[in-house]
Amino acid sequence: QSVLTQPPSVSGAPGQRVTISCTGSSSNIGAGYAVYWYRQSPGTAPKLLMYANNNRPSGVPDRFSGSKSGTSASLAITGLQADDEADYYCQSYDSSLSGSFVFGTGTKVTVL
Amino acid sequence: QVQLQESGPGLVKPSETLSLTCSVSGGLLSGYYWSCIRQAPGKGLEWIGYIHHTGATKYSPSLKSRVTMSVDTSNNQFSLKVTSVTAADTAVYYCARDFDPFEYWGQGTLVTVSS
């Protein structure tokens, strides 16, 4: 039961821009906890794509950008490419109960 | 670069204990937190818990009563045990370094709970 909600799927043509939303609450994103993004291709482990809201690890192209506002965060992909097809997950910390790291529901990006 | 490799039983019977070992290479356990995350078939990611090289742990509230993690610094490994498993525990189990973010991941190992 994920506490971070993402759209099940987004799609776009090559070269277009798509955004993935991650909606949380006052006990996670809204409480100021950082948001992280991971990309997962079929049959492989997730890979860190964005850390601390809007920072790209080395090797991640600047076509990927992150933002956070209030109880939500977003990942934007510009100049969409065929190999951007994957599942994308947001992640944060939730302070309810005794605290837990939580993932989003996941979004499948399809390149048309 | 640090690499993680999970090893598990593949198949566990209902009500039994699932045991998973994560071997770390290319770096030491010391100084880091080590996490376990799972993903049920076709589902999203679920954090299970973490352990520090000192042995300090934190577990997901939803799994806390059934989960134990331990560390073996001499063999650069850490382990996960989940007791009283059911079909709902069927998943790919991943090991990862750190949290916020989970920076490095193993390739994962599928554990199926079935009689």
Side-chain angles (χ1 to χ4, degrees), chain A residues 76-107:
Chain A
I77 310 173
T78 58
L80 198 63
Q81 299 179 359
D83 61 3
D84 292 333
E85 275 209 355
D87 293 324
Y88 292 79
Y89 292 90
C90 60
Q91 178 255 308
S92 187
Y93 181 81
D94 190 282
S95 60
S96 63
L97 299 176
S98 55
S100 178
F101 297 96
V102 291
F103 288 92
T105 49
T107 298

Side-chain angles (χ1 to χ4, degrees), chain B residues 75-98:
Chain B
N75 287 305
N76 231 34
Q77 296 177 334
F78 62 102
S79 298
L80 168 73
K81 291 187 187 298
V82 182
T83 62
S84 305
V85 297
T86 69
D89 294 307
T90 293
V92 174
Y93 285 74
Y94 293 102
C95 301
R97 195 186 82 174
D98 283 324

Side-chain angles (χ1 to χ4, degrees), chain B residues 4-73:
Chain B
L4 297 94
Q5 178 68 57
E6 304 87 350
S7 57
L11 181 65
V12 182
K13 290 182 169 57
S15 80
E16 294 189 344
T17 296
L18 178 163
S19 296
L20 181 77
T21 297
C22 302
S23 300
V24 179
S25 59
L28 295 177
L29 283 181
S30 298
Y32 294 98
Y33 289 85
W34 303 91
S35 297
C36 289
I37 297 153
R38 70 181 184 180
Q39 185 173 35
K43 302 296 184 182
L45 299 163
E46 179 182 22
W47 174 71
I48 299 170
Y50 71 56
I51 186 165
H52 190 249
H53 79 273
T54 58
T57 57
K58 182 176 178 66
Y59 303 130
S60 166
S62 64
L63 294 168
K64 186 176 183 178
S65 64
R66 299 194 294 126
V67 167
T68 303
M69 295 181 70
S70 59
V71 65
D72 179 358
T73 53

